[in-house]
Amino acid sequence: MQKRLFYKNPPLLLLFIKMMEKLPIKSSDNVWKAGNAKEITFIVTKDCQLACKYCYLVGKNTKERMSWDVAKKTIDYILDKEEEFREESVVWDFIGGEPFLEIELIDKICDYIKIEMFRKNHHWFNSYRFSFATNGINYHDVKVQNFIKKNRSHLSIGITIDGTELLHDMNRIYKNSCKGSYKDVVKNIPLWLSQFPEGATKVTIASDNIPYITESVLHLYSLGIHDVNINCVFENVWKEGDDILLENELIKLADEIIEHKLYEENNCSFFWEELGKPMDRVKDNMNWCGAGKMLSIDAAGNFYPCTRFAQYSLREKKAWIIGNIHDGIDKNKTRPFLTLDRCTQSNAECIDCEVASGCAWCQGENYDAADTPTAYQRATAICKMHKARVRANNYYWNKLYRKLELEGIAKEEAEKHVKMSNHEIC
Amino acid sequence: MLQYLIIQLDDTSTSYCHYENGKMERRLMALEDLKAGILFAMKENLMIQFVYPDYVLPQEYKDAINSIDHNDIVSSSCEDMSLREKADVVVFNSWASVEQNGFQDATVCVLRTTKADLLDKYLLLKPVLSTVTRLNVVITDVDTFTGQDFEDYKKVLASLSEEVEKLYIESKSPQLNQLTDRMLLDKMNNCNAGWENITLAPDGKFYVCPAFYLAGDDEDFGLGKAKYSIGDLQNGLDVKNPQLYKLEFAPLCRKCDAYQCKRCVWLNRKTTYEVNTPSHEQCVVAHLERNASRDLLNNIRKHGTFFPQREEIKEITYLDPFDIKEQ
């Protein structure tokens, strides 16, 4: 492949970076959402300003910050192995801790990626995104904002806000003071939405915050966040009766959404029409989780099938390392993930479950909770919560379709009137 | 369903498979444990395979062993000559031991060899194919195969195949696991450790196979200790995630037709971390053997009717089923 060699000339380099800022994304949304994109995650830091009570990152610390040397070697390894990374597009993902704590490193990484993709005439050139999930606290920081301006057309940023101040501050607290972070996040929401009008947030539900779901989702809609991706934690934290609480709370939410026609402009991923159907052993046997197809890199330069397999994410098990920046990826270590299917990792009750569709799992949590060091034992702590969600979901769609029908809108036409969920889980 | 109990009588009992036994210090299973193991097998209706050390066992052990129908697996350097002569399986742990003792006629022999030695000395196998009842060649470093090794191994198989074909034409029926097993199989015939057979070790505990016992106390392939037991004589079996040892829970293997493959769960654990997932190297080696068997079967059939009830082994375009997993 012909390489572009001019880039070592600094003035030209600056010109090139400026030119890149103006390039629109070549690929359509379908490329990203249909799973045709490679997701590469830099764990740039294991530090965070917050100590969220439900955070699965049990090993956060201030010491493990990625160096430029590790980042560069990672990029060189990946871009030099173009024949092994054949996906049509790439999502360069940055995670922490809180990724924007390392904005200077990230900026340097992104510049280098762009330059190298161009220099190598790489097929990902102009078919890439930079993606962030941030707590939003330093979103307004000038360095972050400069980075956003520079990369705007290739950027996806999600800010995590759990809902009302009460709910948010129950869990998302500062690590040293236990003070809630809501006020520091919500002040940045208007700026974020002005830059990313389609911005979505991810809400995590644990046992204690079930009663606050309705008011929180409605609050997020009122802030202008129209896509609320929400899920119950996969860990075994659920108490007796939580399923009934969830069912009742979601029915309350359904009533609010339907009564106030919020379904026209907003989406809450708890309600998904395909949820709660039986699944065929053969036709519906795919493993939806991307672990193994993704690649995560930490400060030590180790590769993981997903961030959830790095040591700081694991309570019980050892890190599942599949290679490193020096030796590359050991493909034998990714084979179990790339051959995983739904039925092989599920018990008989899950396989035969009549409301199986939409019941998610986290491959990393499966591994962490398994009786042996395996990714092939599906954790089922979420079972009763899924079934509660299915009951409320059935209620939602039955009520909504009947309402639309009474308004003269046929079921087949409903999609034009209802903002549908993209069913984002992980 | 569990069918076999392998009893590793001593820490120094011979390896008969891919794993190495580096233990030098004797640790003979307690006589009471031996008797309890035999009782367990009787009650569970299991066939016992005893794996012997090189030294002569005390008479009370021999008496206990002879109290039940069983198979004996011994090393070619076993000092108990009478045991060696009547053993069901004699293991040669190196080519030097072959040179020293010679293959035992009319016996099932296992040759454990490195790939380098096999590539270098395979011609020495040709003369013995007609004298032994069966020869199992076990490559002890399958996980180290690289591209050129695969090419070389393919040539070795082709060369040995010529000899086997010649013997078949002479109406002999040599058995060489790498070439003749697949011809005669119509379904998977793997090791199935942890599913159809388990091992009782000298410490009185059950293991998936001897390799899981012989691993060092601190040996770790990456996800935790390589050595783990699956129960003991006092409390019985306690296999965690037992389904993962079964063929139907091995996504790559359950659709595979390299029926002669050992599907070694120890190598799987070592190379991919998962007992149900084989490495690229194990798959390619098995498929080179499968394809060599196909050629052998086709060649033999050119000389006349041969196993007409067996279907032809299909031509395939891959050596690693992982490459066609989407299909």
Side-chain angles (χ1 to χ4, degrees), chain A residues 120-186:
Chain A
K120 292 171 186 289
N121 198 16
H122 196 285
H123 74 280
W124 284 341
F125 177 72
N126 206 27
S127 191
Y128 68 94
R129 278 192 184 192
F130 299 126
S131 175
F132 297 82
T134 172
N135 60 30
I137 290 171
N138 60 353
Y139 187 83
H140 62 287
D141 181 275
V142 66
K143 287 175 185 164
V144 175
Q145 285 301 308
N146 285 341
F147 174 81
I148 290 171
K149 280 175 197 150
K150 188 199 281 191
N151 295 285
R152 176 65 197 90
S153 61
H154 290 268
L155 211 50
S156 306
I157 299 179
I159 291 183
T160 303
I161 179 168
D162 274 357
T164 61
E165 184 169 2
L166 179 67
L167 173 62
H168 186 95
D169 286 349
M170 276 175 69
N171 289 302
R172 301 185 68 80
I173 54 175
Y174 281 93
K175 66 179 174 186
N176 295 323
S177 66
C178 293
K179 187 189 108 184
S181 61
Y182 177 85
K183 284 191 171 67
D184 295 326
V185 179
V186 79

Side-chain angles (χ1 to χ4, degrees), chain A residues 341-354:
Chain A
D341 57 62
R342 182 179 68 88
C343 290
T344 306
Q345 64 186 301
S346 301
N347 62 33
E349 187 184 347
C350 292
I351 293 170
D352 296 330
C353 178
E354 293 189 348

Side-chain angles (χ1 to χ4, degrees), chain B residues 5-134:
Chain B
L5 177 65
I6 295 157
I7 296 185
Q8 168 104 1
L9 290 163
D10 189 278
D11 271 11
T12 62
S13 290
T14 184
S15 168
Y16 55 90
C17 204
H18 292 296
Y19 64 92
E20 289 298 333
N21 184 358
K23 291 194 187 294
M24 308 295 283
E25 199 172 321
R26 291 179 187 181
R27 181 189 180 182
L28 183 60
M29 177 179 284
L31 186 58
E32 288 312 304
D33 284 347
L34 174 61
K35 289 177 178 174
I38 291 170
L39 182 62
F40 175 86
M42 291 170 79
K43 290 195 287 190
E44 297 295 329
N45 211 21
L46 307 179
M47 181 70 176
I48 301 181
Q49 296 174 329
F50 290 103
V51 189
Y52 289 82
D54 278 358
Y55 63 88
V56 180
L57 290 180
Q59 189 57 44
E60 59 267 35
Y61 279 74
K62 292 182 178 180
D63 293 342
I65 288 168
N66 283 325
S67 68
I68 184 147
D69 187 22
H70 66 273
N71 289 323
D72 295 321
I73 301 174
V74 303
S75 144
S76 63
S77 51
C78 180
E79 293 160 5
D80 189 335
M81 292 299 290
S82 63
L83 173 65
R84 207 169 83 191
E85 281 168 14
K86 72 175 183 62
D88 300 281
V89 178
V90 177
V91 181
F92 295 80
N93 277 295
S94 67
W95 289 83
S97 63
V98 174
E99 287 163 18
Q100 191 178 349
N101 302 311
F103 284 115
Q104 198 163 306
D105 290 354
T107 306
V108 174
C109 296
V110 172
L111 171 62
R112 298 181 63 250
T113 172
T114 62
K115 70 181 180 199
D117 278 353
L118 180 63
L119 298 177
D120 186 39
K121 298 173 178 170
Y122 69 95
L123 289 174
L124 297 174
L125 298 178
K126 289 192 175 186
V128 302
L129 288 173
S130 60
T131 62
V132 297
T133 302
R134 174 180 171 81

Side-chain angles (χ1 to χ4, degrees), chain A residues 285 318-321 332-333 335-336 338-339 341 344 367 371-377, chain B residues 220 223 240-241 244 249 251-252 254 271-274 276 278-281 283 320 325:
Chain A
N285 198 25
K318 292 186 76 173
W320 192 308
I321 296 171
N332 278 332
K333 299 291 188 291
R335 283 164 78 95
L338 300 177
T339 52
D341 57 62
T344 306
Y367 167 59
D371 295 330
T372 60
T374 180
Y376 277 77
Q377 184 188 344
Chain B
D220 184 343
L223 298 186
K240 307 287 187 199
N241 277 320
L244 295 180
F249 285 84
L252 273 180
R254 65 187 172 215
T271 54
T272 72
Y273 293 154
E274 291 281 8
N276 68 345
S279 67
H280 170 72
E281 292 77 17
C283 285
D320 183 351
K325 65 183 188 306

